[in-house]
Amino acid sequence: MQWLLFCAIITWQWFAESPDSLTDATALVLLALALHPLVGILDLTGEHKALAEYQALWTSGILWTLRHRKTLLPWMVLGLIMSIVPLSGAGWAPSGLIPRVLVGIAVGGMALLLAEPLKRFTRNLPALFEFHGWVLYPLSFLMLLDVRQNFLWLDGLYAFMFDWGAR
Amino acid sequence: MQVTHWDLALLQAINEWLASSQERFLIALNISDRWPWIIIACSFCGLWFAGTSSLLAKHPGGIVRMIARRYLIQVCLLFPMLFILARLVQQPVSHVRPLALEGILDIPLPPRVWEPVVHSLQVQGSFPSDHAVVFGMMIVLMARIRTAFAVVALLVSTALLLLRVGLGFHWPSDVIAGLGLGMGTTWLMTSPRSMRVMSGVHRRVLDFESMRPRIFYLVALVFLIDLSQKFAILSSMMSAGSRLLGGSGT
């Protein structure tokens, strides 16, 4: 459910009136894809991986939004509230919550560093989506589908790339 | 329903090729499970944004976005009805799935992998194949928009449906009947006359998309996500609703 909400927010932002929104939302999805393996490494306890990642994504989203003062903020606050509510049995125990928040802050900080280069990269996206939407929107849908299933395909892709690199 | 000789011969020929390697069989099993629905969801998504937004196509045979969208809206309205129709036909026609019969299929998988697949499919009838119904619908939709798309759709559909036959999920006759049902119904529903009758609905949907894009695409996302998992959310909501109604009645 958390991931479905995240996908919903991205879509909501994607089709907002301002072209900046599409850039921001796409940057956030790209950030999610880029940070995915990093969160796995940074996960301090090795437990509650999905929640740690989720928390990290929301935290980075909030920091990103604060920096750019975009309308994404209310959604991100809602996301933060949802992410600290014990949804998948992790509970309020400090052993579960503290690592998640720590990872969130660490990755969120990194997101701030990445914000400007990403923004430059995604600036031309609205024009690209206008002319090549027939292929870019299905690809984005596949990305959201993978976000929703907690990066199952991305994990497979990374594993394949590591295997291929090792050979 | 009686199994004909050609039904069995074709099924066994495809199964023999598929079962000659365990890896091939496993790949076919994985592909045929979820990928047909993901491909259909992606095709809907791509068609919605295909073509030019002007009133005329850029070149002869090109796509005008508004026309493609009208066909897509028509098919999206038809989709649930076709799905329910296929399920309704499946109820009275008792056609046992090939995988439920012993000794006709070669299964190169251990029972602990194969048995859950058999159990998950036995609750549902075999005739007609609902995958084939949906693929028949897609082929006609593509043909209405652009002939080249229909050829690609036909090739992809044939490959995926042959996999389902080879895995023993369906008899060839289930697939042919499903394709016939899907293509026939969609052909009727996307005829110029039907499109004219439904033009008011199309206009309202398109107006809503241009006036409230955020809400429209949010609903579209949920629809496509649910479509990509064969309407799992919708089915669970319907069964929860019927349980609730049944519970309150007693």
Side-chain angles (χ1 to χ4, degrees), chain A residues 4 7-9 11-13 15-17 21 71 130-131 133-135 137-138 141-142 144-145 148-149 153, chain B residues 34-35 38 41-42 45-46 49-51 53 58 65 211 213-215 217-218 221-222 224-225 228-229 233:
Chain A
L4 189 61
C7 294
I9 291 167
T11 310
W12 183 264
Q13 198 63 17
F15 293 99
E17 301 291 313
S21 306
T71 52
E130 176 58 32
F131 293 107
W134 67 279
V135 64
Y137 279 109
F141 170 68
L142 281 178
L144 288 183
L145 212 55
R148 205 229 153 191
Q149 59 187 10
W153 297 330
Chain B
R34 213 182 143 197
W35 276 99
I38 294 175
C42 284
C45 191
F49 294 101
S53 49
K58 265 185 186 167
R65 191 173 291 174
M211 281 158 61
R214 288 177 154 190
I215 299 171
Y217 286 107
L218 198 61
L221 174 81
V222 174
L224 287 182
I225 284 180
S228 73
Q229 54 195 16
I233 302 175

Side-chain angles (χ1 to χ4, degrees), chain B residues 45-109:
Chain B
C45 191
L47 281 178
W48 186 260
F49 294 101
T52 50
S53 49
S54 55
L55 288 174
L56 288 171
K58 265 185 186 167
H59 49 83
I63 301 166
V64 177
R65 191 173 291 174
M66 275 306 131
I67 296 175
R69 286 186 175 184
R70 280 173 190 268
Y71 279 121
L72 207 53
I73 294 167
Q74 186 80 347
V75 162
C76 283
L77 294 173
L78 174 69
F79 203 120
M81 284 189 278
L82 258 182
F83 211 69
I84 292 167
L85 184 68
R87 290 288 166 96
L88 285 177
V89 177
Q90 279 173 356
Q91 298 295 329
V93 181
S94 94
H95 207 203
V96 182
R97 286 178 189 268
L99 50 72
L101 300 174
E102 287 202 12
I104 62 161
L105 287 172
D106 190 6
I107 309 295
L109 300 178

Side-chain angles (χ1 to χ4, degrees), chain B residues 90-91 93-98 121-122 124-130 168-171 173-175:
Chain B
Q90 279 173 356
Q91 298 295 329
V93 181
S94 94
H95 207 203
V96 182
R97 286 178 189 268
L121 284 164
Q122 267 176 342
Q124 200 186 327
S126 159
F127 184 91
S129 154
D130 47 15
F169 294 174
H170 285 288
W171 299 98
S173 52
D174 301 339
V175 168

Side-chain angles (χ1 to χ4, degrees), chain A residues 145-166:
Chain A
L145 212 55
D146 201 28
V147 170
R148 205 229 153 191
Q149 59 187 10
N150 199 10
F151 303 101
L152 194 71
W153 297 330
L154 192 70
D155 278 336
L157 185 70
Y158 283 138
F160 174 77
M161 278 160 58
F162 281 133
D163 271 5
W164 189 73

Side-chain angles (χ1 to χ4, degrees), chain A residues 113-153:
Chain A
L113 291 176
L114 284 171
E116 276 315 305
L118 260 178
K119 190 96 178 170
R120 270 201 293 277
F121 177 68
T122 51
R123 196 164 288 153
N124 295 327
L125 276 172
L128 266 176
F129 269 87
E130 176 58 32
F131 293 107
H132 304 289
W134 67 279
V135 64
L136 288 177
Y137 279 109
L139 277 178
S140 310
F141 170 68
L142 281 178
M143 269 198 316
L144 288 183
L145 212 55
D146 201 28
V147 170
R148 205 229 153 191
Q149 59 187 10
N150 199 10
F151 303 101
L152 194 71
W153 297 330

Side-chain angles (χ1 to χ4, degrees), chain B residues 113-134:
Chain B
V113 179
W114 185 242
E115 271 165 16
V117 179
V118 177
H119 284 300
S120 69
L121 284 164
Q122 267 176 342
V123 287
Q124 200 186 327
S126 159
F127 184 91
S129 154
D130 47 15
H131 280 77
V133 171
V134 176

